[in-house]
Structures are given as structure tokens and as C-alpha cells.
């Protein structure tokens, strides 16, 4: 199937959205559409967990109905927020559906986030109910919300399994997702049912989703891509498959899982998709579309990939996807972000919200039905980012100012050029450096801080924190990481901490980020003890790790993941270990033995087992 995002029959006009209006039904909510699938095919598989446990549409509907009726009894209805602090699982999908069936708006909260961050979101959103695991219930029991534990609160079983009569209007809230905030605190984005229905309708039409499709669900619950992964498929009667935690972050394992489960459509964050695309694929794979997004795509598909690659762009404030386009093989430059999706307008504007000349760069601004209501409890910030749409016929229409730099190309596709402000994308996560700096600046040893992204063009970026210390103290890097991890999720913790006597400033007194030095062995904070590699294996490992992480030197006690490593880089490290030492380590080994010393010991074990069958020269070469 050819992915043709353009729906207008009009010729292309410079710097103007390509999509005309496309009708879609607002008469039935997402919850009602899922209910209709359950009534039509109750025995069809809706959800398939990593262990092979499945949930049929009939089971999903009944369990969601029962919980929905219980939530209604607790006062949940239209415009009522319900928190969901649950891991990615069939249960989390069922609970989200139950909230929608009750007419409420669900607020996904990732249990992996620090408790302080979760409590901030809860206290900011003030949900009427919080649904969470039994082991987390006590941690969040002090708030004004009612804590509900599916599977443990037996009173839920007393409620009807019939669908509740509650109906939500298109203009009412469907979900809220928090994103990184420029003021140092997260902000909740409010999305209504009309916006969600437009996303679902476009996706089902664009990718020809049917009941025979088998889609993947990999995104963490707090990432808005999870919204996109779930509802277009369940409303179409397709099945949703959830890989285990190791598989979902390991390119080769994920490729094998996609093949074994005959997945037909999958979304992967950009960094993961770029790795998966380099692997070998059989010509008869069931995968039709590999969807990607959340970061700048640097790689084109090869001619032998047996599926279509589709690049997507969209802030959380524009209901996950604002533009989309198929990536053609062999094109020049970076892949584009396609064209606007249905009922979405995209303009490239200057600082006065005037169109820039044809082909010139400017701020990418999004209008249309996907634009969020605004930020929860943040009217001033909402007014700043969501501005009146000067190009729309409707007087209440608004534009969302993304802060992204882009330009229209001659064929109507859009080239993404980066950020106008200081916001960053790291492994698909949108990060406001001010939020990290606000936490760092509270540390007693730090007088001031600047956080930025480091990495050469085409490489995965890593966070670096630049610090001016106070009181003559020099904290250990491990202490700073622990301090940050108490308030921030792991992806917001910098890989390196660079000390400076003073920040370089521009003529107007702002930090001159262009003059911030590269991290090196002299200016980078280390843990309290620095141990140089001692054995040949440790030395070769250290050299490999420095090359992979763009570091000048590493201690044998340094943790791979605390240095900025992640599962994708871990996969590359495992490959390099295989080519260097001739041993095969599982990716799981890196999680269990993340330091050079521990990893070297694991390599040595395998080498010793092989040495018995080798000549002395072969053994000496292997041991270095």
C-alpha cells in the first residue's frame, strides 16, 4: 500500500498545509468503538502478553465495564481525571478503557518515575481516583484521591459487566499526559475526544487497519506514543501484542519477536527503528509498515527491506501525530517529516506569526482538530503556546507554536531543521534543560548549572551538565546522579558532569552554549575512586567503551548505563565484544555486569572455557 498523506486535490501553494478537511465520525467515542468490536467478535484476541497469555475482546469489554461502573460509583464522569500508575500491560490497557467508558479522562503515570515526580503530577492534576498496583498503593495513599487496586479490591467484582450508559462529548477530555516543562516542572497536556478520534480515524484509513492486523505495543505508558499504539487497533478489532522488557529494547530480539508474532504494523522510536532497519529481514515478513518518530531520522531504508518505513512528527500538544510520510529509498539529505495528517494545518511562520517566503525556514506551527485544549492548570503558559489561528475561518481556532524549526520543500513535504529554543530530544524523550537545571541548582555544592546535549552529527545525543561549584566542594558524579534520580526519570539524568570556573557569556549576559567545552578527563567529574584498566581484557574493553560513548577514559568501576549507555548502545557493545574477543554474551549480561571489571570477568570465563580447545598461539591472541 502506498502511503499518500496528501488528501487535497488543490495544487500546492507555498508554505501552506496540504490537507483539506476530511470528515470523520464523532458520534461514537473510542470506548464505544471498542465495545462494538467486542459485540461483533467477542472471542477474537484483543491483547497478547509477552508470556503468551491472551485477553479476548469479550473479556476485555466485561472487565473494563465492571471497573467503569465501579469508577462511576466513585464519582467519575465527564471531565473527571483518573490516574493510572501501571506498567505497560494488558491490565493498563483495560484500565484506560474503563476510564473512557466511565466518561472520564485517564492520566498515565509511569511507575518507573521517581516518587517525587509522580507525586508532583498527582498533586497538580488532583485525580478523583488513582489506579495502581497493590505494592504502590501505600506510597500514594496520602492524597485526596481514592486508591484503587485492580485484582485486590474485591468490591469491584460486585459491579455489573454491562456497558455503562455514560457518554462523553467530543469537546470533553479523553486523556492528559505530562511532558517536560521549561519552568522546571512538568506540565499536563489536555487532549479531548475529538482530537483522539481524528488520530484514530486517520490512522485506520491511512494504514488500512483491519481485524486481521497484529500490532505491537512497546511504548511506556507515560509516552504519548502509547495512545497511538493502542486505540487505532482496538477500535478496528485488530490484536495488540506486548513484548517483554528486554525484547522491546533489543533490536535483534525485537526483530525476531516481530517475525515470530507475525506483527503487521509496528511503531518504534527513531533510535530503535534505525538499528532495526540495519538487520537482515526475510522477504516474506508479515510486517507491512514500520512507523517511527519522536526524534530526527537520519537513515533511509535499503532496497531490500520488505516493509514500508513511515516517518512521523508531532508534539504531545497535537495528539501524537501532526505530519506523516513514507520514506522513499535512496533520497538525498535527511528524510522529511512528510505532510500534515487529516484535518491538520501546518504553517512555517516568523516571530510575528507571518508566513515566511517559500522554502525559507521558520517556526513550525500546527492548527486543526488535533491541537490540545491546553496545559492543565497553566493558563498563562497555555496562552503563550496556544495562540489564535490567523489563517482559520473559525474564530476560536488556535495554533500551537511548537518551537521547532522547519521549512516547506518544493513538493509540499516538510523538512525538520531542529529546535528554535533550548529544548532537546534524547532517545525520543522531549527534555527541557531548565527542569534538570532547577534540580541541580538546589544541590548545596552547585552555584549554577547548564544542561545541553552532546554528540556528533548523526550520532545519538547524550546529556551533559556543566557546573560552577560553590564553597570549594567537589561532589562525586555518583552523588549528583543519585541526587537527580530522586526527582527525575533516568532519561533526564546527564551522562557526564563538567566543572567550570565560570560560564561563558554572550554580550547580553546569556550563557554562550557554543563555547561550552567538550567533556574530557580533566574537566569531568568522576566517582570517588578512579581505577585504570589493569588487564589486557579490561584495557581493550575500556578502549571500545570510550569509542562507543565518546569518552577519553573510563574507570573499570564506571557503570555503562550511568556513563550514558542504553540498550541500543549495549547491543552495539555486545557486537564489538563478539568481534574483539570471539565470545557471545547475551544483552542481559550487560544489565547484570555493567562495569568494565564485571564485564571483563564474564568475558574471561568464556575465554577460559574455549582455551582448552585452542593452541597456545590462538589462546594468547584471544587473551590479548
Amino acid at each position: 500500500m502506498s502511503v499518500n498523506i496528501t488528501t487535497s486535490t488543490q495544487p500546492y501553494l507555498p508554505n501552506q498545509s496540504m490537507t483539506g478537511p476530511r470528515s470523520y465520525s464523532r458520534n461514537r467515542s473510542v470506548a464505544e468503538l471498542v465495545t462494538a468490536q467486542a459485540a461483533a467478535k467477542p472471542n477474537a484476541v484483543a491483547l497478547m502478553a509477552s508470556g503468551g497469555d491472551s485477553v479476548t475482546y469479550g473479556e476485555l469489554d466485561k472487565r473494563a465495564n465492571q471497573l467503569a461502573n465501579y469508577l462511576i460509583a466513585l464519582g467519575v464522569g465527564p471531565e473527571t481525571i483518573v490516574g493510572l500508575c501501571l506498567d505497560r500491560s494488558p491490565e493498563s490497557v483495560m484500565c484506560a478503557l474503563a476510564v473512557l467508558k466511565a466518561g472520564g479522562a485517564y492520566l498515565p503515570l509511569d511507575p518507573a518515575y521517581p516518587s517525587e515526580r509522580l507525586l508532583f503530577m498527582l498533586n497538580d492534576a488532583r485525580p478523583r481516583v488513582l489506579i495502581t498496583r497493590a505494592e504502590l498503593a501505600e506510597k500514594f495513599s496520602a492524597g485526596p484521591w481514592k486508591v484503587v487496586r485492580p485484582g485486590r479490591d474485591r468490591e469491584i467484582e460486585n459491579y455489573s459487566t454491562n456497558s455503562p450508559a455514560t457518554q462523553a462529548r467530543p469537546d470533553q477530555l479523553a486523556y492528559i499526559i505530562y511532558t517536560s516543562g521549561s519552568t522546571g516542572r512538568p506540565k499536563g497536556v489536555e487532549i479531548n475526544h475529538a482530537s483522539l478520534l481524528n488520530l484514530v480515524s486517520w490512522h485506520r484509513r491511512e494504514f488500512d487497519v483491519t481485524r486481521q492486523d497484529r500490532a505491537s505495543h512497546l511504548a511506556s505508558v507515560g509516552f504519548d506514543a502509547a495512545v497511538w499504539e493502542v486505540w487505532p487497533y482496538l477500535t478496528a478489532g485488530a490484536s495488540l501484542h506486548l513484548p517483554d522488557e528486554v525484547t522491546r529494547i533489543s533490536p535483534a530480539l525485537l526483530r525476531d519477536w516481530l517475525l515470530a508474532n507475525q506483527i503487521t504494523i509496528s511503531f518504534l522510536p527513531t533510535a530503535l527503528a534505525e538499528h532495526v532497519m540495519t538487520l537482515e529481514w526475510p522477504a516474506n515478513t508479515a510486517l507491512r509498515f514500520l512507523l517511527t518518530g519522536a526524534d530526527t531520522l537520519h537513515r533511509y531504508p535499503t532496497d531490500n527491506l520488505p516493509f514500508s518505513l513511515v516517518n512521523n512528527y508531532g508534539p504531545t500538544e497535537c495528539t501524537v501525530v501532526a505530519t506523516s510520510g513514507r520514506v522513499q529509498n535512496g533520497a538525498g539529505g535527511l528524510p522529511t517529516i512528510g505532510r500534515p495528517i487529516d484535518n491538520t494545518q501546518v504553517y512555517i511562520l516568523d516571530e510575528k506569526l507571518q508566513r515566511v517566503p517559500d522554502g525559507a525556514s521558520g517556526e513550525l506551527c500546527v492548527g486543526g482538530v488535533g491541537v490540545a485544549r491546553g496545559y492543565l492548570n497553566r493558563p498563562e503558559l497555555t496562552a503563550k503556546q496556544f495562540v489564535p489561528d490567523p489563517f482559520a475561518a473559525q474564530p476560536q481556532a488556535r495554533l500551537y507554536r511548537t518551537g521547532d524549526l522547519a521549512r516547506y520543500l518544493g513538493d509540499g513535504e516538510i523538512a525538520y531543521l531542529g529546535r528554535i529554543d533550548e529544548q532537546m530530544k534524547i532517545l525520543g524523550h522531549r527534555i527541557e534543560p531548565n527542569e534538570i537545571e532547577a534540580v541541580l541548582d538546589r544541590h548545596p555544592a552547585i552555584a549554577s548549572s547548564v544542561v545541553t546535549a552532546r554528540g556528533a552529527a548523526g550520532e545519538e545525543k547524550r546529556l551533559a551538565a556543566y557546573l560552577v561549584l560553590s564553597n570549594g566542594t567537589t561532589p562525586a558524579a555518583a552523588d549528583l546522579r543519585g541526587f537527580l534520580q530522586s526527582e527525575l526519570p533516568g532519561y533526564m539524568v546527564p551522562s557526564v558532569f563538567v566543572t567550570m570556573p565560570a560560564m561563558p557569556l554572550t554580550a547580553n549576559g546569556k550563557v554562550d552554549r557554543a563555547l561550552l567545552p567538550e567533556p574530557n578527563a580533566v574537566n569531568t567529574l568522576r566517582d570517588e575512586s578512579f581505577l585504570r584498566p589493569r588487564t589486557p581484557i579490561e584495557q581493550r574493553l575500556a578502549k571500545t567503551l570510550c569509542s562507543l560513548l565518546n569518552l577519553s577514559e573510563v574507570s573499570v568501576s564506571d557503570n555503562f548505563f550511568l556513563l550514558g549507555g542504553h540498550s541500543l548502545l549495549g547491543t552495539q557493545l555486545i557486537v564489538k565484544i563478539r568481534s574483539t574477543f570471539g565470545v557471545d554474551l547475551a544483552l542481559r549480561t550487560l544489565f547484570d555486569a555493567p562495569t568494565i571489571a564485571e564485564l571483563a570477568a564474564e568475558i574471561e570465563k568464556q575465554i577460559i572455557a574455549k582455551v582448552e580447545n585452542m593452541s597456545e598461539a590462538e589462546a594468547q591472541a584471544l587473551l590479548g
Side-chain angles (χ1 to χ4, degrees):
M1 171 184 170
S2 175
V3 181
N4 180 13
I5 306 301
T6 304
T7 60
S8 173
T9 59
Q10 300 298 316
Y12 168 63
L13 297 176
N15 195 4
Q16 185 166 304
S17 164
M18 290 289 289
T19 32
R22 180 179 289 275
S23 63
Y24 69 102
S25 175
R26 303 188 184 193
N27 296 328
R28 291 196 296 178
S29 68
V30 160
E32 290 174 293
L33 292 172
V34 177
T35 297
Q37 293 296 338
K41 295 283 184 179
N43 296 322
V45 172
L47 302 164
M48 179 70 76
S50 57
D53 295 332
S54 63
V55 179
T56 67
Y57 271 90
E59 293 167 340
L60 173 64
D61 195 55
K62 288 180 180 179
R63 290 177 59 195
N65 287 340
Q66 199 166 48
L67 179 56
N69 285 314
Y70 176 64
L71 293 174
I72 291 170
L74 295 178
V76 174
E79 299 296 314
T80 307
I81 300 171
V82 177
L84 302 179
C85 191
L86 298 165
D87 294 307
R88 177 185 58 93
S89 64
E91 182 179 59
S92 65
V93 175
M94 182 276 292
C95 290
L97 178 60
V99 175
L100 295 177
K101 280 175 169 283
Y106 69 94
L107 166 64
L109 302 163
D110 192 335
Y113 284 177
S115 297
E116 289 77 4
R117 187 176 182 86
L118 292 172
L119 285 170
F120 171 85
M121 296 175 185
L122 287 168
N123 285 313
D124 185 54
R126 294 281 168 168
R128 180 178 289 272
V129 177
L130 172 64
I131 301 174
T132 190
R133 302 193 309 254
E135 59 268 28
L136 294 176
E138 185 175 349
K139 183 184 294 186
F140 303 120
S141 61
W145 43 82
K146 164 73 174 177
V147 177
V148 172
R149 305 166 301 170
R152 294 290 294 272
D153 293 337
R154 297 302 178 188
E155 62 265 34
I156 299 174
E157 298 173 4
N158 298 326
Y159 286 81
S160 171
T161 58
N162 295 327
S163 291
T166 305
Q167 291 185 329
R169 297 196 314 265
D171 63 334
Q172 291 173 332
L173 280 182
Y175 68 86
I176 296 172
I177 286 186
Y178 275 79
T179 67
S180 182
S182 59
T183 59
R185 58 190 180 120
K187 52 187 184 289
V189 179
E190 302 174 300
I191 302 294
N192 64 26
H193 285 274
S195 299
L196 177 57
L197 282 168
N198 185 67
L199 174 72
V200 167
S201 176
W202 163 76
H203 184 95
R204 287 176 57 179
R205 178 191 62 78
E206 192 61 47
F207 303 112
D208 194 22
V209 181
T210 70
R211 289 174 177 166
Q212 284 67 50
D213 275 305
R214 300 162 65 90
S216 63
H217 176 17
L218 288 83
S220 302
V221 294
F223 186 21
D224 68 339
V227 172
W228 190 25
E229 285 185 316
V230 171
W231 302 122
Y233 303 108
L234 292 184
T235 57
S239 59
L240 205 59
H241 299 251
L242 292 74
D244 62 68
E245 287 301 300
V246 174
T247 298
R248 68 185 277 265
I249 58 175
S250 309
L253 293 179
L254 183 57
R255 183 269 318 272
D256 295 342
W257 179 86
L258 291 168
L259 292 171
N261 287 273
Q262 297 183 309
I263 302 301
T264 58
I265 307 177
S266 180
F267 168 79
L268 302 181
T270 307
L272 184 55
E274 288 183 330
H275 283 279
V276 167
M277 287 160 54
T278 65
L279 303 175
E280 292 185 6
W281 287 83
N284 61 347
T285 177
L287 190 65
R288 297 190 292 120
F289 292 105
L290 178 61
L291 313 178
T292 191
D295 214 335
T296 302
L297 181 66
H298 293 91
R299 187 183 296 277
Y300 283 89
T302 57
D303 292 331
N304 59 354
L305 277 184
F307 49 79
S308 296
L309 177 69
V310 183
N311 195 25
N312 304 272
Y313 162 88
T316 302
E317 290 86 346
C318 297
T319 319
V320 190
V321 182
T323 71
S324 180
R326 183 175 181 175
V327 182
Q328 303 292 341
N329 298 353
L334 290 178
T336 74
I337 57 174
R339 297 179 171 89
I341 72 168
D342 292 351
N343 304 306
T344 299
Q345 294 80 47
V346 170
Y347 304 95
I348 310 299
L349 307 177
D350 62 20
E351 64 276 6
K352 296 181 180 179
L353 296 184
Q354 299 293 316
R355 287 190 178 100
V356 299
D358 184 25
S361 64
E363 183 177 8
L364 192 158
C365 297
V366 181
V369 72
V371 175
R373 179 188 294 183
Y375 297 118
L376 181 67
N377 303 325
R378 306 285 289 278
E380 292 183 1
L381 186 58
T382 297
K384 178 182 177 182
Q385 296 299 125
F386 297 85
V387 299
D389 186 344
F391 312 108
Q394 301 83 3
Q396 302 302 318
R398 294 168 308 141
L399 284 177
Y400 173 66
R401 302 189 63 171
T402 68
D404 288 326
L405 195 66
R407 68 187 181 93
Y408 264 107
L409 302 177
D411 60 359
E413 298 228 333
I414 302 168
Y416 177 81
L417 305 176
R419 290 292 302 173
I420 295 174
D421 55 20
E422 296 168 357
Q423 190 184 90
M424 300 172 288
K425 280 284 189 76
I426 304 292
L427 291 176
H429 295 282
R430 194 172 84 180
I431 296 174
E432 294 280 2
N434 290 354
E435 189 173 355
I436 306 171
E437 293 162 2
V439 179
L440 277 172
D441 290 347
R442 292 202 295 271
H443 193 284
I446 296 174
S448 63
S449 64
V450 171
V451 175
T452 186
R454 287 292 180 183
E459 294 181 349
E460 292 163 1
K461 303 295 183 181
R462 297 174 188 81
L463 289 176
Y466 290 81
L467 312 173
V468 175
L469 301 178
S470 63
N471 305 324
T473 57
T474 303
D479 293 337
L480 293 180
R481 291 190 189 100
F483 182 75
L484 289 169
Q485 286 171 336
S486 68
E487 295 192 38
L488 301 173
Y491 66 82
M492 295 182 72
V493 177
S495 303
V496 294
F497 299 90
V498 179
T499 59
M500 304 183 68
M503 294 294 178
L505 302 178
T506 63
N508 59 7
K510 293 185 177 181
V511 174
D512 192 340
R513 293 170 181 266
L515 295 182
L516 293 171
E518 287 292 331
N520 57 49
V522 176
N523 62 22
T524 301
L525 286 179
R526 292 287 182 184
D527 294 334
E528 291 182 358
S529 57
F530 183 86
L531 299 176
R532 297 187 181 281
R534 301 153 294 190
T535 68
I537 293 178
E538 287 182 350
Q539 291 167 0
R540 293 167 76 181
L541 259 182
K543 184 177 180 180
T544 300
L545 211 58
C546 286
S547 173
L548 202 60
L549 298 175
N550 296 319
L551 299 173
S552 58
E553 61 178 350
V554 291
S555 167
V556 297
S557 60
D558 283 340
N559 186 301
F560 171 77
F561 296 101
L562 295 182
L563 288 173
H566 49 76
S567 58
L568 298 180
L569 285 174
T571 301
Q572 295 178 44
L573 178 59
I574 294 298
V575 171
K576 289 181 180 295
I577 287 173
R578 183 186 300 121
S579 63
T580 302
F581 299 101
V583 299
D584 288 310
L585 297 181
L587 181 62
R588 182 75 258 170
T589 305
L590 187 56
F591 288 90
D592 296 332
T595 69
I596 288 179
E598 293 168 328
L599 205 54
E602 292 295 325
I603 293 171
E604 188 172 356
K605 285 180 186 178
Q606 290 206 23
I607 289 177
I608 290 173
K610 285 187 172 186
V611 162
E612 295 179 358
N613 300 318
M614 292 182 177
S615 67
E616 184 176 344
E618 289 173 328
Q620 187 63 37
L622 193 61
L623 290 168

